[in-house]
Amino acid sequence: LLAVLDWHLQRAPDRAQIVHLGDTQEQRITYRELAESARRVARGLQRRGLEKGQSVAIMLPTGCEYFHVYFGILLAGGVPVPIYPPARAAQLEEHVRRHARILANAEAVILVTIARAKLVARVLQAHVPTLRDVVEADQLSHGEGAPYAVPVEPGDVAFIQYTSGSTGDPKGVVLTHANLLANIRAMGKALRVDRDDVFVSWLPLYHDMGLIGGWLSTMYYGMTLVVMSPLAFLARPSRWLHAISTYRGTLSAAPNFAYELCASRVHDDELEGLDLGSWRLALNGAEPVLPETIDRFVARYSGRGLRPEAMMPVYGLAECSVGLAFPPPGRGPRIDVVDRDLFSRQRRAQPARHDDAHPLRFVCCGSAIPGHALRVVDERGVDQPERVEGRVLFRGPSATAGYRGNPQASAQLIRDGWLDTGDHGYLAEGELYLTGRAKDIVIRAGRNVYPHEVEEAVGELAGVRKGCVAVFGSTDPKSGTERLVVLAETRETDAGARERIRAAISTTALDTLGEPLDLVVLAAPHTVLKTSSGKVRRAACRELFETGRLATSAAGARLQILRVAAHAAWPMARRFLRGVGETAFAARGWLVFACVAPLAWCVVALAPQPRIAWASARLFARFALAASGLRLRVSAERRLSPDRACVVVSNHASYLDGIVMVAAIPSPCRFVAKRELLSNPVSRVFLSRLGAVFVERFEAHQSVRDAASLERCVRAGQSLIVFPEGTFRRAPGILAFRLGAFVVAANSAAPVVPVALRGTRTALPDGRWLPSRATIEVVVGPAAEPRADAPDAFTAALALRDAARAHIVAHAGEPDLDTRA
């Protein structure tokens, strides 16, 4: 994805890729602006200690900051984890419970949010041990400097999408850059898109359909994305249609409920001047596509320029990045009308008779996108014949390798290279017809009952909140049989009115299914649980019902806030006490340093010989580390006392490295230090008494003279200590080694002794002045002699560098960041 952005930067940096529609005005984001803002965010994240591969949660509403933060995380080497901000105070408890599990599973270290969600973010932080920082998006952009480069490969994780689910542990779908790009290319080929298309979207960016289908796909193809807030759409659905009309949108996508809202809840006076003639493809996915919705939407807007063939039911899932099956563009929707009784009992999709009063209707979702394949199998994994329902499996380059930190669920997902979608459906003429989620289908008296049918019919009744109905099966604890339960939200409180609603629901279900319900449960608004994309979470609703929590699921906002605060109190107290302990440890370290450093400086400055100065400094260094609570372990220490002069090279990770090397090396050595330290009298006197050699890093002629003086030191029997990386930074990783020290060793015929330091970065990383508890390990490698058969000193130096680097990378516990190979 970073290469995609670079490609556009090179060719059309000032082309507007995103048009964000705010409450009163639009804001355009060019590729250049996106890249510059992402770099500032990346630098802000790196200043906060983000390391490659660590997760960063994005809890932001749709807005310009979202785009900047997402790419900023990628640039910094992190893994974006989109989650949704709290929408309603009435569901605050459920939001905190669910997202605390998500953040814990992702091991998120930073949460990026907005000011009004900061309180919820702090509560989440109390429950997630790894979450060390909560920051607002604009705070990340403060400060100067560019981010340091982090190598990103196609197989690196581009984001983790947490799937919809019950109240149990969430499942994080791990998707790489290669997965996403494969899916984007395949979808683009299936939809025949090009850069002249305009995609209009209100879809949430925390959902795969909005993030990948809406934004990343349009960026890949160079399309314009016109995007608005989901809340703006929900407040007035006609805004979506007018955006398509105004910006001449050719592509747009939404779940079925959005088309239903536009078909039935938009007043005629809101459609003045509407022209949908540019709309080439109206994709309908992310939840069951209802034939009735398609009919109503086309009938309502065909007079406004909408072509019926633009309607396009599609199928996808997070485990396949986003898209899996599309019908041919421009064909229009296909509806299969099948015999209800035969399908419910035998799972055979036989076309219904024309006089059938209660047939089943299923929508065609098309065939697999290019490079992907679909199968329908029975319980044994055997392929089902044409028009026989079974489990839908798929495979292809867009497929995830599994769920984050959940090997059991990953094993259930993947079967012999095929992934189980968890959906039921059948194939007809090579195209897929979905029939329902496997876990949601209710088997009753040998018949399959499909919940969405009943939910749609009940949602049309007066007094029932449309889209807030859940139908599920529940085992009767007395009889052990499966009961068919309807949970419906209503605002009615009058007993007589509620009884009439129950009767209407029972009658409607009987007319739809041909058999009665077992139980109708009426609940207060916001009781029916939904996913971030608006789908009903039937399994979660069933759990509420079976555990008797329906009565408490819609507790008042104030009560929920009190409960959330109470549950977070102890975790917050624990975190506070840990912080107090860490601060006390840091204070102890500084107190030791304040007491030891002046005394050590005086003793070393007054030492009559470098050998005495080194022995004194070593004694003080060991005492200071121990008194500060930092444990020091040195392995193979005898290798640091060779029979002749050598060049000791080590990785550089912290300001503590010099102290650790002095504490670890028994024999006097001369540090090779940068000449800039001579300007500070404290460091000049101390290092000079230790015998340090100061070298020029920038002026070429002086650098050559300094190299010659280093060779003279070695030939005179004096060992050198060199940090060949030349510098260090906060993020872990072994940087490229400079060749100077190895050329000196080759020219002097001196061995190179590699030393791997581990733990100093943890104890005191760059940019932080409060030390942390750590065990510091010094692993001394075997001496590497210059090759006698090397044709020249440069070749010998390369061999010495590679041997030293191999030892240090193997024992420092940090990644190799040298990309020259």
Side-chain angles (χ1 to χ4, degrees):
L1 293 175
L2 296 175
V4 171
L5 180 56
D6 286 341
W7 190 93
H8 288 295
L9 278 174
Q10 294 168 14
R11 288 160 178 80
D14 296 317
R15 178 183 171 94
Q17 199 269 308
I18 300 164
V19 180
H20 176 247
L21 305 182
D23 293 334
T24 58
Q25 61 183 3
E26 68 175 33
Q27 185 173 352
R28 293 175 178 262
I29 304 175
T30 66
Y31 293 106
R32 189 195 306 276
E33 290 165 344
L34 175 60
E36 290 174 352
S37 297
R39 290 189 192 108
R40 289 194 293 269
V41 170
R43 180 59 184 149
L45 290 169
Q46 289 174 344
R47 282 197 301 266
R48 285 168 169 76
L50 181 68
E51 300 173 8
K52 181 176 171 61
Q54 290 184 325
S55 298
V56 179
I58 310 175
M59 192 168 75
L60 295 172
T62 296
C64 297
E65 296 86 358
Y66 206 109
F67 306 104
H68 305 157
V69 169
Y70 183 89
F71 260 91
I73 295 170
L74 293 182
L75 279 170
V79 178
V81 179
I83 62 176
Y84 54 93
R88 293 189 296 262
Q91 292 190 347
L92 183 62
E93 282 182 292
E94 205 274 335
H95 181 278
V96 169
R97 281 196 301 268
R98 179 171 175 77
H99 285 80
R101 288 194 294 267
I102 288 175
L103 296 175
N105 179 263
E107 298 179 285
V109 296
I110 299 173
L111 172 60
V112 185
T113 189
I114 52 177
R116 64 177 181 270
K118 208 75 175 284
L119 178 60
V120 173
R122 291 297 183 193
V123 171
L124 289 170
Q125 185 179 22
H127 290 284
V128 182
T130 61
L131 190 57
R132 62 171 183 257
D133 202 355
V134 172
V135 61
E136 293 177 39
D138 57 353
Q139 293 175 328
L140 290 173
S141 300
H142 295 164
E144 299 298 325
Y148 53 78
V150 178
V152 179
E153 302 297 328
D156 289 343
V157 180
F159 89 119
I160 304 175
Q161 174 71 53
Y162 280 85
T163 64
S164 315
S166 68
T167 53
D169 292 332
K171 292 185 291 187
V173 180
V174 178
L175 296 170
T176 66
H177 291 263
N179 291 146
L180 296 185
L181 291 173
N183 199 245
I184 288 168
R185 293 186 187 109
M187 291 191 299
K189 188 174 181 179
L191 298 177
R192 304 171 195 163
V193 304
D194 60 38
R195 67 176 297 173
D196 294 326
D197 278 308
V198 176
F199 197 111
V200 179
S201 176
W202 57 265
L203 296 168
L205 291 169
Y206 51 75
H207 189 265
D208 51 11
M209 196 172 177
L211 181 68
I212 309 169
W215 175 35
L216 297 179
S217 295
T218 58
M219 189 182 73
Y220 180 88
Y221 287 102
M223 293 184 241
T224 299
L225 171 66
V226 179
V227 63
M228 68 177 69
S229 164
L231 297 179
F233 163 76
L234 292 172
R236 217 172 101 197
S238 62
R239 287 174 177 164
W240 174 39
L241 304 178
H242 277 288
I244 294 171
S245 177
T246 301
Y247 291 90
R248 308 314 294 156
T250 60
L251 304 173
S252 195
N256 189 84
F257 84 86
Y259 291 96
E260 183 61 42
L261 281 178
C262 291
S264 58
R265 300 295 176 91
V266 174
H267 297 296
D268 288 339
D269 58 5
E270 297 180 63
L271 304 181
E272 185 68 31
L274 185 70
D275 178 10
L276 300 180
S278 64
W279 200 353
R280 183 169 68 86
L281 295 176
L283 286 74
N284 186 338
E287 64 183 24
V289 180
L290 302 179
E292 297 80 8
T293 297
I294 293 175
D295 294 341
R296 284 193 285 265
F297 189 82
V298 170
R300 181 80 189 275
Y301 294 102
S302 58
R304 300 286 177 175
L306 178 71
R307 296 187 300 274
E309 60 270 21
M311 295 301 298
M312 192 176 190
V314 297
Y315 173 55
L317 66 163
E319 288 80 357
C320 189
S321 296
V322 62
L324 176 54
F326 293 171
R331 185 187 69 186
R334 279 185 178 176
I335 312 297
D336 204 12
V337 184
V338 304
D339 183 289
R340 175 184 297 274
D341 187 65
L342 188 64
F343 190 83
S344 299
R345 295 187 184 280
Q346 300 182 23
R347 308 174 77 175
R348 290 172 51 202
Q350 178 175 302
R353 300 185 311 275
H354 293 297
D355 59 348
D356 191 334
H358 300 287
L360 280 170
R361 301 175 76 197
F362 297 117
V363 178
C364 177
C365 296
S367 54
I369 57 178
H372 297 68
L374 281 167
R375 293 171 62 199
V376 175
V377 302
D378 62 13
E379 290 79 4
R380 300 167 298 164
V382 177
D383 287 288
Q384 292 284 63
E386 180 103 338
R387 288 192 165 275
V388 176
E389 185 195 40
R391 198 102 170 189
V392 180
L393 309 182
F394 80 96
R395 67 180 177 189
S398 306
T400 179
Y403 298 115
R404 163 92 178 200
N406 197 335
Q408 183 177 358
S410 299
Q412 294 172 350
L413 171 69
I414 303 172
R415 306 178 181 182
D416 300 323
W418 291 82
L419 281 74
D420 188 343
T421 65
D423 288 311
H424 276 194
Y426 62 90
L427 294 172
E429 299 179 357
E431 296 190 286
L432 177 66
Y433 292 79
L434 286 177
T435 58
R437 294 288 294 168
K439 65 181 181 181
D440 291 337
I441 295 174
V442 181
I443 303 175
R444 191 166 182 267
R447 296 182 57 191
N448 285 1
V449 175
Y450 299 90
H452 67 270
E453 251 198 317
V454 183
E455 290 167 354
E456 171 67 11
V458 170
E460 296 292 338
L461 296 175
V464 175
R465 300 188 73 222
K466 187 174 179 62
C468 301
V469 181
V471 175
F472 50 85
S474 175
T475 304
D476 188 333
K478 295 181 180 179
S479 64
T481 58
E482 187 94 310
R483 295 177 296 177
L484 187 59
V485 180
V486 171
L487 170 64
E489 292 183 8
T490 181
R491 296 188 187 278
E492 288 287 355
T493 56
D494 178 72
R498 290 171 69 89
E499 196 55 44
R500 286 191 294 273
I501 291 173
R502 284 194 180 90
I505 290 174
S506 298
T507 302
T508 300
L510 180 61
D511 291 343
T512 303
L513 301 174
E515 59 179 271
L517 296 172
D518 293 297
L519 188 62
V520 175
V521 179
L522 298 182
H526 311 307
T527 298
V528 173
L529 300 177
K530 297 183 180 181
T531 70
S532 59
S533 60
K535 288 186 287 189
V536 173
R537 295 168 58 197
R538 299 184 184 96
C541 292
R542 180 178 62 236
E543 184 170 331
L544 284 179
F545 170 74
E546 291 179 343
T547 56
R549 288 187 288 135
L550 279 179
T552 61
S553 62
R558 290 184 180 179
L559 178 58
Q560 292 203 42
I561 291 171
L562 288 174
R563 287 177 180 171
V564 166
H567 291 155
W570 174 235
M572 283 181 171
R574 283 204 312 267
R575 184 179 285 266
F576 173 76
L577 292 174
R578 281 199 303 270
V580 170
E582 291 168 0
T583 302
F585 181 87
R588 169 187 171 186
W590 277 111
L591 180 62
V592 169
F593 180 81
C595 295
V596 172
L599 182 60
W601 188 90
C602 292
V603 171
V604 169
L606 298 173
Q609 298 177 5
R611 180 175 293 277
I612 296 175
W614 184 272
S616 302
R618 185 169 187 256
L619 180 64
F620 280 115
R622 283 183 166 257
F623 172 77
L625 292 173
S628 299
L630 298 172
R631 299 178 60 187
L632 177 65
R633 296 177 183 171
V634 183
S635 63
E637 183 178 322
R638 64 184 181 280
R639 293 174 177 169
L640 292 174
S641 300
D643 297 333
R644 67 185 198 277
C646 65
V647 177
V648 179
V649 297
S650 173
N651 57 305
H652 203 7
S654 168
Y655 290 112
L656 288 174
D657 295 342
I659 297 174
V660 170
M661 293 296 284
V662 171
I665 299 177
S667 302
C669 292
R670 303 186 71 177
F671 278 102
V672 177
K674 57 186 179 182
R675 190 173 294 274
E676 297 95 290
L677 293 174
L678 287 172
S679 61
N680 185 313
V682 176
S683 59
R684 182 181 68 242
V685 171
F686 187 82
L687 291 172
S688 297
R689 298 302 297 166
L690 287 179
V693 183
F694 297 93
V695 297
E696 174 61 46
R697 296 191 297 166
F698 305 111
E699 203 278 310
H701 293 293
Q702 183 61 46
S703 294
V704 172
R705 289 192 291 271
D706 289 340
S709 68
L710 294 177
E711 292 177 17
R712 288 194 294 272
C713 289
V714 176
R715 290 194 177 101
Q718 299 168 347
S719 295
L720 302 177
I721 300 175
V722 182
F723 296 109
E725 291 170 281
T727 187
F728 64 91
R729 61 191 190 188
R730 182 166 183 149
I734 311 300
L735 303 175
F737 282 2
R738 299 178 182 182
L739 269 177
F742 306 100
V743 172
V744 168
N747 287 335
S748 309
V752 171
V753 179
V755 175
L757 298 182
R758 185 169 187 159
T760 58
R761 197 187 307 272
T762 302
L764 192 65
D766 183 30
R768 198 179 77 195
W769 295 100
L770 297 178
S772 301
R773 291 181 177 85
T775 296
I776 298 172
E777 297 181 70
V778 180
V779 184
V780 185
E785 298 284 348
R787 284 175 48 188
D789 60 345
D792 51 49
F794 183 75
T795 304
L798 288 175
L800 289 171
R801 181 199 68 185
D802 294 343
R805 188 176 185 86
H807 169 81
I808 291 172
V809 169
H811 295 88
E814 296 189 357
D816 187 349
L817 298 184
D818 187 357
T819 58
R820 290 175 300 185

